[in-house]
Amino acid sequence: MSRVSIYDTTLRDGSQGEGVNFSLQDKLLLTKRLDEIGVDYIEGGYPLSNPKDFEYFQAVRGLDLKHAKVCAFGMTRRKNAPAETDTCLKALLDAHTPVVTIVGKTWDFHVTEVLGTTLDENCAMIADSVQYCKAQGREVFYDAEHFFDGYRANPEYALRTLKAAAGAGAAAVILCDTNGGTMPERVAEVVAIVTRALSCEVGIHCHNDCELAVANSLAAVRAGATQVQGTMNGIGERCGNVDLISVIANLALKYKYDVLKPGSLTRLTETSRYAYELANMNARNGQPFVGQSAFAHKGGMHTHAVAKDPSTYEHITPEAVGNERRILVSELSGHSTILSKTAKYQMNHDKALTTKILHAVQDLENVGYEFEAAEASFDLLVRKVAKDHKPWQVDKSLTLYKPWFERISYRVNIEARANGTPITEGTVRLKVAGVVEHTASEGDGPVNALDGALRRALVRFYPRLEEMQLVDYKVRVVNPKAGTAAKVRVVIESRDGTDVWGTVGVSENIIEASWLALCDAIEFKLFKDVERDQK
């Protein structure tokens, strides 16, 4: 079985998509998730482009990655200047990643009109940059920008640029369909020519402007490419990059290539939805393999046939990619991806309990909850359901749910001062261990103020809450057609010295939704600490 390397550029190329903006914490969380499923290379960004990317390359060194290699992305040296003094190359090396990816010009039109230099100097820029980074101990990938357009315009020169990179020591040369306008048969034809001409590995990087990025990537692999670059869910500039979710599924299930870690295909749906939540984007229901509607059947002969044999209307089993079959007329659905997360508590033997959890999840999803990026809230839900289900049969590693505090009331007051700066104060009244606590806190906004007041009321009872801080906050309208009465879903990310976790709250009132997510975050922290101390 041939191995195809998966190179994820969600954090750089994907973030160039309209409306996409990852926080530093988002980037680190997605890095960990991609590493867990066995993505081979993760491109963290361009360290010279902005402070966030610079900070990412410092922070990512603290992650205990098991499989993936982090890559720093940058350009070739400037024209008519030595590589040793180039600020871009210096930033790439200062990122201290095992791999650097250098992009350069392939299309002679870009060389003369955009770079404003000669064809010979461009080849020297490519070779010098690759050679310099390789001499510093880095594995070097060369991204040949606009390769297919360049090859169409001047095939001899396009190949010459690739040979400059390969001859200088590039481990792989990646052919980029930057404008996304090449047809699959042409991609296959040109990739075959390139693989015969070069001794190094060849990769493919496609954009989706003709809705052909997946087809083009698969055609390239079939013609000899051994690396595919793309993004989770196909996010990216203009019409997006190739969707790695579909590429991975097709390579593994249709062509039987070796991709990711063994067993990771069943986490594709989970990973796709996690990436959507981090990007604060709505998932595409009709997305192949992982969309909510990918294995949905509605009415007529479809549901009748599927009831007898799902293969009548399904090209694969949904479980192969961690998805679920849905019979829409009866609202039947299975949440195998979510329920698999209870495996750590060894509940699979108790069908009655897992069924109760399933029903609880379904009920909450019907009112707008989503647990893909809120695993802490799901963990609390499992504890609540297990508490009422023959608790003596539940794995002792699971601490059953108990309320750590009782809400009496809360209030948020926003006062606009004469200078135009609003002042927000949150006030809470709680009962903790039989004691009524009444505290207040000012904040930058209502959620920040409530968080401060809640923590102030609880910290003398639970001192380790001092370790915890809120790191991200996202809001999404669940049913936008309801206008100002629409429900909102709030997802909060919190962390302490060892972990990062997500919680969710849903309400027509954004403050109440935020309160629910905040309370879940605190309760999860308290349960987590208890179980850690017991080990």
Side-chain angles (χ1 to χ4, degrees):
M1 183 185 297
S2 300
R3 175 78 181 178
V4 176
S5 298
I6 302 300
Y7 182 112
D8 184 279
T9 182
T10 305
L11 301 181
R12 184 196 64 82
D13 225 350
S15 68
Q16 295 179 21
E18 185 175 2
V20 179
N21 183 34
F22 294 109
S23 69
L24 174 60
Q25 191 61 40
D26 289 337
K27 295 182 71 158
L28 295 172
L29 286 169
L30 188 55
T31 298
K32 289 176 64 176
R33 185 62 64 96
L34 296 175
D35 174 64
E36 288 172 4
I37 66 171
V39 167
D40 299 287
Y41 303 99
I42 301 171
E43 189 175 83
Y46 176 25
L48 203 60
S49 66
N50 60 78
K52 188 192 302 177
D53 281 4
F54 176 79
E55 292 173 10
Y56 169 84
F57 287 110
Q58 291 183 314
V60 77
R61 297 174 212 164
L63 297 184
D64 183 22
L65 302 182
K66 305 297 184 185
H67 178 85
K69 293 182 179 179
V70 176
C71 310
F73 176 90
M75 297 175 288
T76 58
R77 67 161 174 82
R78 293 165 294 173
K79 61 183 179 181
N80 304 318
E84 293 80 3
T85 62
D86 189 83
T87 54
C88 174
L89 296 181
K90 182 179 185 303
L92 282 179
L93 296 172
D94 287 346
H96 296 288
T97 57
V99 180
V100 297
T101 299
I102 297 173
V103 63
K105 299 296 185 184
T106 306
W107 193 355
D108 56 359
F109 169 71
H110 271 255
V111 174
T112 57
E113 300 302 318
V114 179
L115 281 183
T117 191
T118 67
L119 300 185
D120 287 342
E121 172 62 7
N122 180 58
C123 286
M125 291 161 63
I126 294 168
D128 291 349
S129 302
V130 171
Q131 186 176 42
Y132 178 65
C133 290
K134 182 176 172 59
Q136 304 304 309
R138 306 299 194 272
E139 184 178 8
V140 182
F141 294 153
Y142 175 69
D143 275 9
E145 187 183 34
H146 291 103
F147 174 76
F148 292 94
D149 297 305
Y151 189 87
R152 183 181 65 248
N154 188 339
E156 180 182 355
Y157 182 71
L159 280 175
R160 182 182 162 197
T161 64
L162 300 186
K163 290 177 180 178
V173 169
I174 292 83
L175 313 182
C176 302
D177 187 25
T178 309
N179 288 350
T182 310
M183 297 293 105
E185 65 276 11
R186 180 60 171 168
V187 168
E189 176 189 353
V190 174
V191 170
I193 292 170
V194 171
T195 56
R196 289 194 296 267
L198 299 181
S199 58
C200 66
E201 298 289 311
V202 173
I204 186 72
H205 179 122
C206 294
H207 287 255
N208 204 34
D209 297 74
C210 292
E211 195 70 34
L212 292 170
V214 172
N216 283 343
S217 298
L218 296 176
V221 171
R222 300 298 288 170
T226 56
Q227 181 190 115
V228 177
Q229 295 188 356
T231 64
M232 289 292 112
N233 303 316
I235 64 173
E237 201 169 32
R238 303 187 314 276
C239 304
N241 289 53
V242 67
D243 184 357
L244 281 181
I245 297 291
S246 291
V247 168
I248 290 166
N250 278 305
L251 287 177
L253 297 173
K254 302 299 184 177
Y255 289 122
K256 307 303 180 184
Y257 285 100
D258 179 18
V259 293
L260 303 182
K261 290 180 181 177
S264 290
L265 282 183
T266 58
R267 298 187 62 184
L268 280 186
T269 301
E270 168 195 336
T271 303
S272 167
R273 295 175 185 176
Y274 186 74
Y276 276 124
E277 286 295 334
L278 288 179
N280 201 25
M281 297 174 67
N282 290 316
R284 290 186 288 132
N285 284 347
Q287 186 174 355
F289 295 101
V290 298
Q292 189 178 21
S293 302
F295 300 94
H297 307 280
K298 184 177 180 179
M301 62 182 181
H302 284 232
T303 56
H304 178 72
V306 167
K308 292 185 175 181
D309 188 335
S311 66
T312 53
Y313 284 96
E314 292 176 355
H315 66 108
I316 63 168
T317 61
E319 293 80 10
V321 290
N323 208 338
E324 63 202 13
R325 179 175 303 111
R326 298 169 63 234
I327 309 299
L328 301 182
V329 290
S330 58
E331 294 300 324
L332 297 177
S333 61
H335 290 257
S336 59
T337 299
I338 295 177
L339 290 178
S340 67
K341 295 174 185 175
T342 63
K344 62 183 178 181
Y345 297 128
Q346 301 177 16
M347 294 180 179
N348 293 339
H349 67 283
D350 193 331
K351 291 184 178 179
L353 176 55
T354 54
T355 298
K356 286 183 178 180
I357 296 170
L358 170 60
H359 290 164
V361 169
Q362 290 174 327
D363 291 343
L364 288 169
E365 286 191 343
N366 282 337
V367 298
Y369 277 79
E370 284 286 351
F371 294 98
E372 295 301 331
E375 294 184 1
S377 287
F378 177 75
D379 183 90
L380 293 174
L381 176 64
V382 171
R383 297 175 193 275
K384 292 173 182 177
V385 174
K387 177 176 178 292
D388 299 322
H389 176 81
K390 302 176 183 177
W392 60 88
Q393 293 184 2
V394 178
D395 188 342
K396 296 299 185 290
S397 66
L398 174 66
T399 304
L400 297 178
Y401 181 79
K402 66 170 184 176
W404 296 86
F405 54 90
E406 177 186 344
R407 179 179 83 184
I408 299 174
S409 65
Y410 69 77
R411 181 189 303 120
V412 176
N413 182 60
I414 302 174
E415 179 182 351
R417 301 286 172 85
N419 62 4
T421 302
I423 302 298
T424 306
E425 181 183 76
T427 304
V428 303
R429 294 181 70 230
L430 306 175
K431 182 178 285 187
V432 192
V435 178
V436 175
E437 289 286 310
H438 189 182
T439 60
S441 176
E442 289 189 350
D444 296 329
V447 178
N448 182 241
L450 270 183
D451 182 41
L454 183 57
R455 226 86 74 77
R456 185 172 293 178
L458 295 173
V459 73
R460 76 182 183 95
F461 299 92
Y462 312 118
R464 290 174 69 175
L465 289 180
E466 291 277 15
E467 307 166 352
M468 174 184 159
Q469 57 182 307
L470 186 152
V471 293
D472 203 6
Y473 175 88
K474 293 185 176 77
V475 180
R476 182 171 301 160
V477 176
V478 176
N479 52 339
K481 292 183 180 179
T484 56
K487 288 184 178 180
V488 295
R489 179 167 67 242
V490 169
V491 176
I492 286 176
E493 287 173 6
S494 304
R495 72 179 175 197
D496 56 16
T498 57
D499 298 300
V500 177
W501 60 95
T503 52
V504 61
V506 173
S507 174
E508 289 87 356
N509 186 305
I510 190 172
I511 304 301
E512 174 67 8
S514 302
W515 171 272
L516 295 172
L518 282 172
C519 290
D520 271 12
I522 287 173
E523 289 200 318
F524 178 79
K525 162 69 173 170
L526 297 173
F527 278 114
K528 179 173 73 77
D529 287 345
V530 166
E531 291 179 349
R532 179 166 292 169
D533 291 343
Q534 290 174 348
K535 291 182 179 178

